[in-house]
Amino acid sequence: ADLEESLGSTPNLLQRLHAEESTAQTQELLHNLLVAKSRDPLGPILQELQRIAVQTEPLLVDSDGIVINGNRRLAAMRALLDIDHGTYPFVTS
């Protein structure tokens, strides 16, 4: 719904984004929307992750590597990593 709202009334843009979901431009658009959502004052995910400097909740990812749950947390940590690699290290397990 947020994606549709941000796209406005541009005809067929949502369908085009689905068709081009792997492109860098589409991924950047989605990332920016998710970072904005992570700053929501009702659930300030970005601020909390900035404060504790670590993401402790696991992401739910399907067998194809698609994030099912945790998109905002992932986007927030990526944004923080872009700001400061030392404070927000990228770690996988």
Side-chain angles (χ1 to χ4, degrees), residues 15-58:
Q15 290 82 9
R16 194 175 86 220
L17 287 176
H18 281 296
E20 300 172 356
E21 64 186 19
S22 298
T23 67
Q25 183 180 12
T26 299
Q27 290 300 309
E28 183 177 353
L29 170 71
L30 294 173
H31 172 74
N32 291 336
L33 286 171
L34 289 166
V35 170
K37 291 290 289 178
S38 74
R39 292 186 168 140
D40 183 343
L42 297 177
I45 294 169
L46 188 124
Q47 293 87 339
E48 180 63 12
L49 291 173
Q50 190 172 28
R51 184 182 70 78
I52 63 175
V54 65
Q55 201 292 110
T56 58
E57 296 294 321

Side-chain angles (χ1 to χ4, degrees), residues 52-93:
I52 63 175
V54 65
Q55 201 292 110
T56 58
E57 296 294 321
L59 302 176
L60 178 59
V61 181
D62 73 8
S63 61
D64 293 323
I66 305 297
V67 178
I68 305 300
N69 187 345
N71 288 298
R72 287 182 289 162
R73 285 179 278 137
L74 179 59
M77 285 306 291
R78 285 178 173 163
L80 292 170
L81 178 66
D82 284 344
I83 294 167
D84 183 350
H85 288 277
T87 302
Y88 309 103
F90 181 76
V91 179
T92 61
S93 57

